[in-house]
Amino acid sequence: MLLIPCPHCGERDENEFDYGGPAIDFPELSANTAEWHRAVHLPDLDECNLEEFWFHAAGCGCWIKTQRNIKTHEFQVFEQPNRGQS
Amino acid sequence: MRYSILSLATQAFHNHQHWPQIVTPEKLKSHYNIIIVGAGGHGLATAYYLSRNHGINDVLVIDSGWLGGGNTARNTAIVRSDYLLPASFALKHFALELWDSLSQELNFNLMYSPRGYVDLAHSDGELEHFMLRANAMCLGGASASILTRRALAEKIPSLNLDKQSRFPISGALFQAEGGVVRHDAVAWGFARKASDSGIHIQQNCAVKSLQVDNGRVSGVVTAQGAISADRILVAAAGGSAGLMADAGVKLPMQPINVQAFVTEPVKPVLDHVVNYNAGLSYISQSDKGELVLGGATDGYLSTARRGSFARIEDTLQRAAQMFPYLPNLRLMRHWSGTADIPMDGNAIVGKTEIENLFIDCGWGYAGFKATPAVGWKLAELLSGGQLPEMLEPFALSRFAEGRLIDDAGIGPYPWLH
């Protein structure tokens, strides 16, 4: 059971969220196949401090970005996604 | 020793104190022809077929835990082959053919119960898609049919066919050969036969790393020292990624939690395996009378090996839609395991870029039903033969080449499975 710290609503039950997956640095669209393969299939994920996106569907309706240890389910810090960048 | 009514009577006479162990403990050698890392269903089946089909007995199966203590013991024991894509279908169909006679062959009761697999459709569109899938299965040699609502009512009288329910049922795909197999017995049955033919099975001895020199694997380093081998198969489910990463091969997999649970035992109420498709919830009744339930993954990356209530609630709500009597029952046990799901949700089986190093992993939560077929085909590969046609689509190289086997048609999002 996750209690996800939403910056707008506080700690809320995971039931209220849709998962957006880990935050991955994708290359430029013009990058070659090998680079895209590495980014899509073999991303470097920090299991102790995984950056990921959640959509607070049954709350504020915002996408939020969190950092979570996927073994202990502890959340470290959280922030709103920077809408200015990809 | 051969199990029979005679051996049972003899042992009963001795108060069951003198049954031989299933696996004979052996002293580890310093070199084996083949080492299999992982004593789950897949690893043990491979060992058994190496001996049975190819006469290779100089094999070590090694595991950090006990026999079949990983995902072999953490599934819901369902076997079926209702897949649309030829690659996914072929292996599971071959497995179903093997399950049929495996109990006799292993002289070990695997309790294969072909009670019929019922996959529910909730709209005319979905039912039409199921017809496509059933036709594909028939072309592949399996038997599959479509059940109308009337046929469903006859087959499963307790199923809720109310048209006013949230996701009314419009029909189902039916596979008569689908059913359940006692999962623990699969590991024990294969292990016993493999051990009988001289194959060494070492439990509670972790493989710490692989020895790789100049792009060729030469052995493993274990808690009890180094052991060399001509060929090595890594079939360690979630443990595979770490071992392979040490050897310089990064696997496109992500760890996700999967849960299952059983209710208190009741008298026989359900004699099929039934799968609810508006969301996911599957249910069958064990021989003890417990209703065994499972659902989708927890839906986010996790190696915690503990489940979330959200998924339990979700799975049970859907199960209660099918069988409205279910909320009267209490849950007795619950377990979860870490499934390593590749980026297209399908397994990674076959060769790696390191010579003599083979891999079988990434089965997510779909590996149990394929166990004997994978063992058979991997034995063919490990014995020095060509890569079997059935394994070719599951190559690790498919990710770089863009040949994904995307059964669900959802792209590279393992957590959606």
Side-chain angles (χ1 to χ4, degrees), chain B residues 101-141:
Chain B
S101 56
L102 211 52
S103 290
Q104 281 74 25
E105 187 181 320
L106 296 178
N107 180 226
F108 203 97
N109 192 357
L110 305 185
M111 296 162 84
Y112 169 47
S113 159
R115 55 184 65 180
Y117 173 73
V118 177
D119 205 10
L120 300 176
H122 302 271
S123 67
D124 291 346
E126 192 169 23
L127 194 59
E128 208 159 287
H129 176 73
F130 281 13
M131 284 182 201
L132 170 77
R133 189 144 55 95
N135 282 333
M137 289 165 68
C138 291
L139 286 174

Side-chain angles (χ1 to χ4, degrees), chain B residues 60-379:
Chain B
L60 169 69
V61 186
I62 187 164
D63 200 294
S64 62
W66 59 93
L67 281 186
N71 290 350
T72 301
R74 289 167 203 269
N75 52 65
T76 47
I78 298 169
V79 296
R80 56 187 174 85
S81 71
D82 61 321
Y83 287 81
L84 177 65
L85 298 185
S88 305
F89 169 79
L91 261 182
K92 280 112 185 179
H93 180 57
F94 181 43
L96 267 187
E97 290 175 356
L98 293 173
W99 286 123
D100 193 38
S101 56
L102 211 52
S103 290
Q104 281 74 25
E105 187 181 320
L106 296 178
N107 180 226
F108 203 97
N109 192 357
L110 305 185
M111 296 162 84
Y112 169 47
S113 159
R115 55 184 65 180
Y117 173 73
V118 177
D119 205 10
L120 300 176
H122 302 271
S123 67
D124 291 346
E126 192 169 23
L127 194 59
E128 208 159 287
H129 176 73
F130 281 13
M131 284 182 201
L132 170 77
R133 189 144 55 95
N135 282 333
M137 289 165 68
C138 291
L139 286 174
S143 73
S145 56
I146 296 292
L147 299 178
T148 59
R149 283 170 52 87
R150 187 176 298 166
L152 264 175
E154 236 165 73
K155 215 177 243 316
I156 312 170
S158 56
L159 185 65
N160 174 20
L161 287 167
D162 184 359
K163 282 188 167 168
Q164 300 306 315
S165 62
R166 178 68 183 83
F167 297 105
I169 292 161
S170 52
L173 183 150
F174 181 65
Q175 183 176 30
E177 288 82 11
V180 292
V181 176
R182 189 178 175 213
H183 48 203
D184 301 316
V186 174
W188 300 334
F190 277 128
R192 175 166 161 267
K193 275 284 175 183
S195 182
D196 273 357
S197 55
I199 286 171
H200 288 187
I201 297 170
Q202 182 71 30
Q203 306 178 61
N204 300 315
C205 179
V207 169
K208 292 175 174 164
S209 63
L210 301 166
Q211 291 176 320
V212 181
D213 321 295
N214 298 327
R216 170 192 277 263
V217 75
S218 59
V220 295
V221 179
T222 75
Q224 295 183 25
I227 308 170
S228 63
D230 300 332
R231 295 194 185 92
I232 292 173
L233 168 69
V234 175
S240 307
L243 269 183
M244 297 298 286
D246 282 346
V249 180
K250 198 167 176 192
L251 296 178
M253 304 198 299
Q254 295 183 0
I256 297 163
N257 198 66
V258 188
Q259 310 185 58
F261 20 89
V262 295
T263 67
E264 58 191 320
V266 288
K267 288 188 175 177
V269 285
L270 180 62
D271 47 9
H272 293 86
V273 178
V274 187
N275 184 34
Y276 190 78
N277 272 301
L280 194 59
S281 181
Y282 33 94
I283 181 166
S284 65
Q285 190 170 22
S286 74
D287 293 317
K288 273 191 286 183
E290 302 154 328
L291 287 151
V292 185
L293 292 131
T297 66
D298 278 6
Y300 46 81
L301 272 59
S302 167
T303 53
R305 271 199 174 176
R306 66 167 188 264
S308 85
F309 283 111
R311 178 57 66 201
I312 299 176
E313 213 173 9
D314 181 276
T315 305
L316 291 177
Q317 278 168 350
R318 291 168 207 281
Q321 286 280 315
M322 287 189 279
F323 301 104
Y325 60 79
L326 271 179
N328 295 320
L329 299 177
R330 280 165 296 190
L331 285 185
M332 292 283 286
R333 281 179 290 127
H334 157 269
W335 64 95
S336 62
T338 306
D340 269 51
I341 304 189
M343 298 304 277
D344 61 354
N346 246 306
I348 300 169
V349 190
K351 297 177 179 176
T352 64
E353 59 207 52
I354 294 172
E355 208 180 329
N356 296 333
L357 179 63
F358 302 86
I359 187 144
D360 171 45
C361 68
W363 282 93
Y365 62 137
F368 175 67
K369 62 178 85 75
T371 301
V374 174
W376 183 294
K377 293 295 170 184
L378 274 173

Side-chain angles (χ1 to χ4, degrees), chain B residues 22-94:
Chain B
I22 278 184
V23 172
T24 328
E26 303 276 359
K27 202 173 171 321
L28 282 178
K29 296 195 293 182
S30 59
H31 178 87
Y32 289 88
N33 187 342
I34 294 170
I35 292 180
I36 297 172
V37 184
H42 285 213
L44 292 165
T46 306
Y48 166 70
Y49 286 117
L50 273 170
S51 166
R52 176 191 182 272
N53 294 352
H54 307 281
I56 299 175
N57 296 321
D58 188 19
V59 177
L60 169 69
V61 186
I62 187 164
D63 200 294
S64 62
W66 59 93
L67 281 186
N71 290 350
T72 301
R74 289 167 203 269
N75 52 65
T76 47
I78 298 169
V79 296
R80 56 187 174 85
S81 71
D82 61 321
Y83 287 81
L84 177 65
L85 298 185
S88 305
F89 169 79
L91 261 182
K92 280 112 185 179
H93 180 57
F94 181 43

Side-chain angles (χ1 to χ4, degrees), chain A residues 14-15 19 40 42 44 68 70, chain B residues 250 299-301 303 310 343:
Chain A
E14 67 173 86
N15 262 343
Y19 190 48
V40 174
L42 305 168
D44 279 315
R68 177 173 63 101
I70 69 169
Chain B
K250 198 167 176 192
Y300 46 81
L301 272 59
T303 53
M343 298 304 277

